[in-house]
Amino acid sequence: MPEEPAGTEGSPGRRAGDRGRYGKLSREKVLVCALEVVDRDGLSGLSMRRLGAELGVEAMALYRYASGKDALLDGLVEAFFLELEKDLRDLEKDLGGPEKDLRDPEREDGPRDGPADAPVPAPDPVPGEAPPGGWRDDLHRIALSAHGVALRHPNVVPLLATRLLSTPMARRPAAVLRGDERILALLASAGMSDRQTVAVHRAFTAWLLGHLLVDLRAMDDDPEEPDPAFRIGLHRISAQELPRLRATALAMADRGGPAELAAGLDALLDRFG
């Protein structure tokens, strides 16, 4: 069903120009607002008309910044990756730069005891934290940061699959391509051949995307229901036809979180060294 034209009777706050209630529009403002709408109302709640109403302009004013709904969806993927870039930059600053080894004896917890040439003991792994190890450490940081962004914007996660399936690589947002470049560059700098780099990139991307889609999939049938069994709609699952699914449904409803993401990533990367 086509959207109703913006600016109709009953919407006096909308303007034909691109200056809305938040000042002059920009692509960044449009994408930020679109992300807020999707976070609040889901993907089904996003339309050019709804977005125009949120910004205080007519829907037609938005076509200067997004050519239509598909372009808005691509923009949401772009916003996801821009947020990931920012989180990674902040993390690198906290670690003292992208090349800083997490096992550096001069890190914030102070110098280690013993001879200067003594081996540095590896810290005990912490669930959900990236273990030290060069390129593997970098991949863990990317994966865990992406998981954090996904938790803030779970309604955008399906677009990471659907939009990349329908958008050719050369036409994807620059932030998405920079994400690929980051991974490929760190693998190449570790001395991997082009064939190895592509294999690890493909395996890492597949695991990360698959984990996010599974971990954040919809499970609650009635989110307001306090009883866990009724909340997931366990009574709707036949014990006769689906005995194992029914028996494990409550456990499946729990999220694996960053600890399972990191453990699975380690198991995957073990085959590459």
Side-chain angles (χ1 to χ4, degrees):
M1 185 174 178
E3 297 177 2
E4 297 178 21
T8 55
E9 184 178 355
S11 57
R14 306 180 195 176
R15 301 169 176 83
D18 64 351
R19 183 172 293 277
R21 64 171 57 96
Y22 303 111
K24 185 175 176 57
L25 290 186
S26 66
R27 177 173 172 76
E28 180 181 5
K29 287 182 179 179
V30 170
L31 292 184
V32 166
C33 188
L35 190 59
E36 291 174 351
V37 170
V38 170
D39 286 344
R40 185 186 68 230
D41 302 327
L43 289 169
S44 61
L46 180 66
S47 68
M48 299 296 271
R49 182 186 180 207
R50 173 75 65 85
L51 189 56
E54 291 281 339
L55 289 164
V57 299
E58 289 187 5
M60 290 302 296
L62 301 177
Y63 285 91
R64 302 179 188 180
Y65 309 99
S67 59
K69 180 72 175 288
D70 283 348
L72 272 183
L73 298 180
D74 286 337
L76 290 172
V77 176
E78 178 183 0
F80 183 100
F81 277 86
L82 286 172
E83 194 164 321
L84 175 58
E85 279 186 341
K86 181 182 181 302
D87 285 0
L88 288 170
R89 284 196 303 268
D90 291 344
L91 182 57
E92 288 170 357
K93 290 178 183 178
D94 292 341
L95 294 172
E99 302 302 323
K100 185 175 180 65
D101 193 332
L102 292 182
R103 295 166 295 179
D104 186 347
E106 298 301 326
R107 64 189 189 276
E108 290 185 2
D109 54 354
R112 58 188 171 90
D113 297 329
D117 59 351
V120 180
D124 293 333
V126 178
E129 290 188 6
W135 61 271
R136 290 178 62 144
D137 187 22
D138 290 329
L139 290 181
H140 271 278
R141 280 198 289 267
I142 293 171
L144 294 173
S145 295
H147 186 271
V149 177
L151 286 179
R152 295 195 293 269
H153 309 295
N155 292 331
V156 177
V157 170
L159 296 178
L160 303 182
T162 59
R163 296 312 301 168
L164 298 187
L165 283 172
S166 60
T167 307
M169 181 173 66
R171 295 183 180 273
R172 293 171 191 166
V176 176
L177 299 180
R178 288 195 299 270
D180 287 325
E181 178 68 18
R182 175 190 285 265
I183 297 170
L184 295 171
L186 74 86
L187 296 176
S189 68
M192 295 187 187
S193 67
D194 286 351
R195 183 181 294 273
Q196 290 173 314
T197 294
V198 170
V200 176
H201 174 274
R202 182 178 290 126
F204 170 76
T205 304
W207 168 247
L208 175 57
L209 180 57
H211 178 87
L212 294 180
L213 289 171
V214 170
D215 212 33
L216 299 179
R217 60 187 169 176
M219 295 296 290
D220 290 345
D221 182 55
D222 183 0
E224 304 302 320
E225 170 59 53
D227 183 277
F230 283 104
R231 184 165 60 248
I232 69 170
L234 192 62
H235 57 287
R236 301 181 187 277
I237 301 175
S238 170
Q240 287 72 39
E241 296 179 7
L242 305 166
R244 295 312 309 157
L245 179 60
R246 184 182 172 93
T248 58
L250 285 174
M252 291 179 66
D254 291 334
R255 289 179 177 173
E260 284 192 8
L261 171 62
L265 182 55
D266 266 333
L268 175 69
L269 297 180
D270 279 346
R271 64 176 290 228
F272 297 104

